[in-house]
Amino acid sequence: MGKNVRTKAVSELFEAVLTLENEEECFSFFEDVCTVNELLSLAQRFEVAKLLKEGHTYTEVAEQTGASTATISRVNRSLNYGKDGYEIVFGRMKKS
C-alpha cells in the first residue's frame, strides 16, 4: 500500500496554498517551497495532462513537453483512474 498523503502537514500546506490570491503570490510561494526542478516537473505534468486530455498521442506529448514516456504514462493513469483532480481544475479553467 502507498504512503498516506492525508497528513496534518499536507493539509496545512493546502491550507496555505488556498490563501494565495494571485499569480504573483503563487510564484513567490512556490519558488520558496519548491526547487526549480520540482516546480518545472509539476508544470510539465500539468502540461502533459492537458495535451493528453486534448487527445494528443504519447509521441506528440513527449515531443512538445520533453516528458519521458514513464511520466506520460503516470499522468495518463491519473487521468483515467485517479481522484479526478485534473478534471476539477480543467473544468474550472474552462469557465474562467
Side-chain angles (χ1 to χ4, degrees):
M1 193 174 219
K3 291 182 181 179
N4 179 18
V5 298
R6 291 185 180 266
T7 65
K8 182 178 181 208
V10 173
S11 182
E12 287 176 351
L13 173 65
F14 292 164
E15 186 179 338
V17 169
L18 289 169
T19 68
L20 301 171
E21 295 181 2
N22 55 50
E23 187 175 302
E24 192 56 41
E25 288 184 1
C26 287
F27 270 105
S28 295
F29 180 75
F30 282 97
E31 285 182 40
D32 284 350
V33 171
C34 298
T35 65
V36 171
N37 286 338
E38 289 168 337
L39 191 49
L40 293 176
S41 291
L42 288 171
Q44 182 186 59
R45 287 182 184 192
F46 188 72
E47 185 66 19
V48 166
K50 286 191 321 186
L51 292 171
L52 289 172
K53 190 77 176 142
E54 291 170 1
H56 293 272
T57 66
Y58 275 37
T59 302
E60 292 169 333
V61 173
E63 288 172 357
Q64 290 184 45
T65 65
S68 69
T69 55
T71 295
I72 297 167
S73 179
R74 198 172 307 120
V75 171
N76 193 50
R77 188 171 44 250
S78 292
L79 285 170
N80 291 315
Y81 306 108
K83 306 269 187 180
D84 292 329
Y86 285 116
E87 293 299 324
I88 292 166
V89 171
F90 292 151
R92 290 181 184 162
M93 288 178 78
K94 280 183 184 176
K95 294 176 185 175
S96 57

